[in-house]
Amino acid sequence: DIYIYYHTILKPEAIKDAMDAAPEGAETVTLNYDNTATVGWNGDEYTLPTSTGSQAFSTTMLDKTSSIVTAVSEIEYSIIINENRVPLNGGQPLALTDTLGEGKEGFLYRDDSVRLINMDNATVLTPGSSVTDSTYTITWAKGDTKGFTISVPDGQRLQLTYRVKPMSPIGTD
């Protein structure tokens, strides 16, 4: 017996093209695909039946969640960046800005808690003076440490985590 298995990988560029063509506000895009294969041996060639399918992708490029770390009275934020590895900026770094908004005046970022992980290979990226596949840059807002801009590699599936803490003990203000 001879077995032929089809394995389809949709290129991130195809996902980006579909997202660019989607109507504004669309939450998902669907890519349809056809797989064909030709096999040959002993000078003969055979075309196998076409396999078809489709795959839906979320158009959300950032997914932010938070949890309370009760042991140290802090809030930990986790942001999934570019789940589908789409080249969003032509291979140039992506600049993401985070600020503590309304109602969070009594909190500060813990700059020592920032961690950026490549979710495909579990590599921890390190801060650097420029952005590469293994480094990122971070600039803290001047004066009040109430915000930062982090520049990360384009086209990678990343997870950013960081914590904020209250400026005074809970229950004293």
Side-chain angles (χ1 to χ4, degrees):
D1 291 344
I2 297 174
Y3 296 94
I4 304 293
Y5 295 96
Y6 293 92
H7 179 75
T8 302
I9 297 175
L10 298 173
K11 293 182 178 181
E13 294 81 5
I15 299 168
K16 181 178 186 325
D17 290 345
M19 288 180 177
D20 289 345
E24 189 169 330
E27 293 182 12
T28 61
V29 296
T30 301
L31 291 178
N32 299 313
Y33 56 87
D34 296 329
N35 258 340
T36 58
T38 302
V39 294
W41 62 87
N42 296 330
D44 293 326
E45 193 172 277
Y46 301 92
T47 300
L48 302 175
T50 299
S51 170
T52 62
S54 64
Q55 176 69 46
F57 295 91
S58 170
T59 58
T60 302
M61 292 293 109
L62 299 173
D63 184 17
K64 186 174 185 178
T65 59
S66 64
S67 61
I68 297 174
V69 183
T70 54
V72 289
S73 298
E74 295 177 349
I75 301 170
E76 182 169 271
Y77 290 97
S78 176
I79 304 171
I80 303 299
I81 303 166
N82 202 359
E83 176 74 25
N84 297 312
R85 300 167 204 81
V86 175
L88 298 169
N89 198 24
Q92 297 301 307
L94 303 175
L96 309 169
T97 300
D98 192 276
T99 57
L100 288 175
E102 195 71 29
K104 295 191 179 119
E105 294 82 7
F107 286 86
L108 291 173
Y109 286 98
R110 281 223 7 242
D111 59 356
D112 63 337
S113 71
V114 175
R115 186 173 163 147
L116 187 65
I117 300 169
N118 180 316
M119 294 177 62
D120 290 323
N121 59 24
T123 301
V124 176
L125 283 72
T126 57
S129 58
S130 64
V131 177
T132 69
D133 283 345
S134 61
T135 62
Y136 64 91
T137 63
I138 189 163
T139 305
W140 294 94
K142 301 281 188 236
D144 62 4
T145 64
K146 298 285 187 172
F148 64 88
T149 298
I150 186 167
S151 293
V152 302
D154 188 19
Q156 289 189 19
R157 184 170 64 124
L158 304 169
Q159 179 182 32
L160 171 65
T161 58
Y162 60 89
R163 291 185 179 184
V164 298
K165 63 181 178 180
M167 290 174 21
S168 56
I170 294 178
T172 61
D173 195 348

